[in-house]
Amino acid sequence: PNRYGYRWINEASHQIPTAGSLDPLPETKTQFSNLFLAGEYVKCHLILPLMEHANFSGKLCAKAILDLF
């Protein structure tokens, strides 16, 4: 309990990837010139699908779009 007598309970689960499970994840760039992907399940250097992963994949997506120009 904290100083007010309440307990913080987090019931959200995290997906812990197993060996080889990240291989089929899509890249930010796709085979289509005007389609880019971002989100928790896009391949990047972060392993756990958390908000940081979604944020970083969004940055990769924005960079890929800017690389077109």
Side-chain angles (χ1 to χ4, degrees):
N2 62 16
R3 65 182 178 167
Y4 301 110
Y6 298 107
R7 290 180 192 243
W8 294 100
I9 297 175
N10 185 358
E11 295 180 5
S13 61
H14 293 291
Q15 175 194 7
I16 307 299
T18 57
S21 66
L22 298 177
D23 295 337
L25 292 179
E27 299 283 337
T28 300
K29 292 182 182 179
T30 64
Q31 63 185 5
F32 304 104
S33 62
N34 62 346
L35 178 65
F36 301 91
L37 302 174
E40 291 180 347
Y41 296 103
V42 174
K43 190 179 289 186
C44 74
H45 76 278
L46 298 171
I47 296 172
L48 293 176
L50 302 169
M51 287 300 298
E52 290 80 9
H53 187 119
N55 182 22
F56 189 76
S57 69
K59 290 178 182 180
L60 290 176
C61 184
K63 183 182 179 319
I65 292 170
L66 290 175
D67 286 345
L68 287 177
F69 301 104

